Amino acid sequence: MGVCPSATMSLLTDNFTGALHPWAQPEVLTCTPWGAPIIWDGTFDPDVAKQEATQQNLTIGLTVFAVGRYLEKYLERFLETAEQHFMAGQRVVYYVFTERPGAVPRVALGPGRRLRVERERRWQDVSMARMRTLHAALGGRLGREAHFVFCMDVDQHFSGTFGPEALAESVAQLHSWHYHWPRWLLPFERDAHSASVMARGEGDFYYHAAAFGGSVAALRDLTAHCARGLAWDRARGLEARWHDESHLNKFFWLHKPAKVLSPEFCWSPDLGPRAEIRRPRLLWAPKEYRLLRD
Ligand code: UDP
Ligand code: MN
């Protein structure tokens, strides 16, 4: 599996936060117990990853759902910043799932980059139906044209390089709220009736459903697992604590990710500056549930 020279590493503090806090020498975990790399800024060479990806002539998919008010509110900035930062120089195909294809903003795309819009009916709850839709798409055109795919929330924007260093057979994102919490406090589903249940002591990390990725085959398995779990729960009148994210966490407990992304790859600016967060690559928008979901 992954190559992990050392389990922890001191990040150099030549950056903004380091200058503010010269005493801070943050130690971060750079390898999981099963040998997968946890990538932080400074632990990889982005140029090497870029060269490797270019040599392999990869096509990388990026899926995003923009249903209801999320379309006007977030999609344009998400795509515009993805053009600047997501897999720059690689072949990329965006898949936007929406019930209003005509309202998708026309964003200027760089060479080798395409945008496909897939019509989706408007669901009661998008986060419950995403996995099923993704599974179908991965079994269709998306699965045929992409080698690797990232699946992301739309209520965020890119703020730094999100390149081929993030690619692997399966990729999980450390949740920025929870990455430093003790395991027993992590918000896994605890209801034994749910397909997503995790017993006390189970769980490696708490992963964020706002960004996950992998090969088409791995994501077919992941989305099938989550869609099955969601359907199982629904048939019993249950809904897991964090919806599809609870099922995603169960999947990654049973099938360990090949690569883990540090919280820099999907950061919540509300948390403020932290010494170990040197270069955020995706930034969450503030939560506005009551305004946006109806
Ligand atoms: N979503 C959407 N319309 C909605 C609700 C959700 O398009 O009305 C999509 C969108 O891509 C969003 C994702 O589903 O980013 C997950 O929902 P949300 O971001 O509200 O969940 P949270 O990040 O709070 O878990
Ligand atoms: Mn979100």
Side-chain angles (χ1 to χ4, degrees):
M1 197 167 289
V3 187
C4 288
S6 62
T8 61
M9 188 165 154
S10 289
L11 297 172
L12 300 173
T13 52
D14 58 348
N15 63 323
F16 170 67
T17 42
L20 275 179
H21 306 286
W23 60 89
Q25 285 278 349
E27 274 252 310
V28 293
L29 191 69
T30 58
C31 190
T32 68
W34 60 93
I38 307 176
I39 63 168
W40 297 81
D41 190 65
T43 65
F44 56 85
D45 184 339
D47 293 333
V48 170
K50 224 171 158 170
Q51 272 172 27
E52 279 174 9
T54 308
Q55 272 165 16
Q56 293 173 55
N57 202 15
L58 297 177
T59 296
I60 300 146
L62 177 56
T63 70
V64 70
F65 288 78
V67 173
R69 296 192 206 164
Y70 281 58
L71 197 159
E72 282 82 7
K73 179 102 179 142
Y74 301 117
L75 185 58
E76 188 161 23
R77 191 171 190 203
F78 178 87
L79 292 172
E80 275 175 355
T81 57
E83 274 303 286
Q84 291 164 31
H85 299 296
F86 182 76
M87 305 292 164
Q90 309 296 326
R91 213 148 3 94
V92 167
V93 51
Y94 298 103
Y95 271 73
V96 173
F97 297 90
T98 181
E99 85 287 18
R100 281 176 299 141
V104 171
R106 285 172 220 285
V107 172
L109 300 179
R113 303 173 76 98
R114 268 171 306 170
L115 188 143
R116 300 201 190 283
V117 181
E118 301 281 305
R119 185 187 282 278
E120 277 297 327
R121 65 192 164 80
R122 185 167 187 166
W123 311 289
Q124 209 74 11
D125 191 337
V126 180
S127 66
M128 301 299 283
R130 266 193 305 186
M131 292 296 183
R132 205 176 52 213
T133 299
L134 286 173
H135 185 72
L138 289 159
R141 186 181 202 166
L142 168 61
R144 285 193 301 275
E145 66 187 349
H147 301 97
F148 292 97
V149 177
F150 269 92
C151 307
M152 292 189 186
D153 273 16
V154 74
D155 58 336
Q156 48 192 352
H157 69 271
F158 290 87
S159 57
T161 304
F162 198 118
E165 63 277 359
L167 297 176
E169 181 60 20
S170 64
V171 186
Q173 172 66 55
L174 289 180
H175 196 295
S176 62
W177 287 1
H178 304 297
Y179 67 98
H180 57 306
W181 287 21
R183 185 193 313 231
W184 64 273
L185 264 179
L186 296 175
F188 296 123
E189 175 58 61
R190 301 297 182 189
D191 180 352
H193 298 103
S194 170
S196 64
V197 66
M198 304 272 285
R200 297 275 160 201
E202 290 185 343
D204 302 297
F205 304 101
Y206 190 80
Y207 303 116
H208 196 181
F212 58 92
S215 70
V216 169
L219 289 177
R220 282 278 286 172
D221 289 348
L222 181 156
T223 51
H225 170 99
C226 293
R228 225 182 300 119
L230 286 155
W232 162 284
D233 282 10
R234 188 173 299 131
R236 284 154 186 77
L238 301 173
E239 191 176 325
R241 183 165 176 192
W242 287 106
H243 327 289
D244 50 4
E245 188 167 87
S246 301
H247 296 275
L248 180 90
N249 272 281
K250 178 81 178 213
F251 178 85
F252 279 135
W253 166 244
L254 298 173
H255 310 273
K256 307 297 189 203
K259 188 174 277 184
V260 175
L261 304 181
S262 75
E264 296 163 302
F265 284 79
C266 192
W267 183 245
S268 167
D270 289 347
L271 293 171
R274 298 235 175 118
E276 69 276 22
I277 306 300
R278 309 202 320 179
R279 199 164 302 164
R281 285 108 204 295
L282 262 178
L283 292 174
W284 310 7
K287 299 281 170 204
E288 298 176 41
Y289 291 134
R290 259 178 301 162
L291 283 174
L292 288 167
R293 288 185 161 189
D294 44 39

